[in-house]
Amino acid sequence: QPTVVPHSVGQHSRAGVTTFLLTYPRFIHPQMMTHRMCARNAQSSRAVPVRRMIDQVRDDPVIPISFLANQRGMVGGDEVADPDRARREWVRAARSAASSAEELSSIGLHKQHCNRVLEPFLTITSVFTFQDVWLEHFFGLRMGDDAQPEIQTLANAMLQALASSPPSV
């Protein structure tokens, strides 16, 4: 669930600025980073102990919201015929990645390498600060029908968090 860090509206300009503390699937992080008109910072895989990352993948791997059929373009088609099978295979891949990261760690490889194997199955925590005009642009883009389901879900949750957080002047 996104958290709105107390946001403000300028006393004279009425221009708003909103900061969010977000945790989301790491596999949508590149899409979040395309928004250059905001200040942002994110957790680094190089800073988190391998054991903690392995435990997260084993205990609570990130699983796509839906498994969409392959088709041309950037937007998946309808859900695949056997989404349960796709989910099982995704979880199997997560377990395999956890085992591989554990093995790499056991031979002395640094976390900057071990944790990379785990990234598709992890969340990332980030801070994003938007001016109102850019936040409107973000919502327009990321809540659209052609947005990836996970980023649509994040954008909707951000909008709900914003609605329940009145700005201060």
Side-chain angles (χ1 to χ4, degrees), residues 4-126:
V4 174
V5 177
H7 60 291
S8 61
V9 174
Q11 184 175 4
H12 301 289
S13 68
R14 308 311 281 171
V17 175
T18 304
T19 300
F20 293 90
L21 176 62
L22 306 171
T23 300
Y24 50 85
R26 188 176 276 277
F27 58 72
I28 64 169
H29 186 61
Q31 293 174 55
M32 292 295 291
M33 296 306 288
T34 63
H35 297 280
R36 298 181 341 178
M37 302 311 277
C38 61
R40 61 210 194 272
N41 198 354
Q43 167 190 21
S44 170
S45 291
R46 296 174 61 213
V48 181
V50 176
R51 179 84 262 150
R52 187 174 340 147
M53 297 284 228
I54 290 170
D55 289 346
Q56 182 183 348
V57 169
R58 283 205 169 120
D59 298 340
D60 190 22
V62 169
I63 299 172
I65 291 172
S66 57
F67 292 93
L68 304 179
N70 189 29
Q71 66 180 20
R72 292 176 55 116
M74 291 177 55
V75 181
D78 293 332
E79 192 158 53
V80 296
D82 191 352
D84 292 335
R85 180 178 176 200
R87 180 182 173 83
R88 284 191 307 273
E89 186 60 27
W90 185 271
V91 170
R92 189 189 70 72
R95 287 186 189 128
S96 177
S99 294
S100 293
E102 199 165 51
E103 183 63 26
L104 292 168
S105 181
S106 76
I107 61 174
L109 205 60
H110 190 271
K111 63 186 169 188
Q112 73 183 0
H113 302 297
C114 299
N115 286 345
R116 299 291 185 223
V117 174
L118 303 168
E119 287 183 353
F121 311 103
L122 291 168
T123 58
I124 187 170
T125 299
S126 301

Side-chain angles (χ1 to χ4, degrees), residues 35 130 132-148 151-152 155-156 158-159:
H35 297 280
F130 294 90
D132 284 350
V133 65
W134 298 112
L135 188 55
E136 285 297 317
H137 176 70
F138 171 85
F139 287 139
L141 201 66
R142 298 308 182 182
M143 293 171 74
D145 291 339
D146 59 349
Q148 186 168 343
I151 207 163
Q152 283 178 329
N156 279 306
M158 289 168 65
L159 186 59

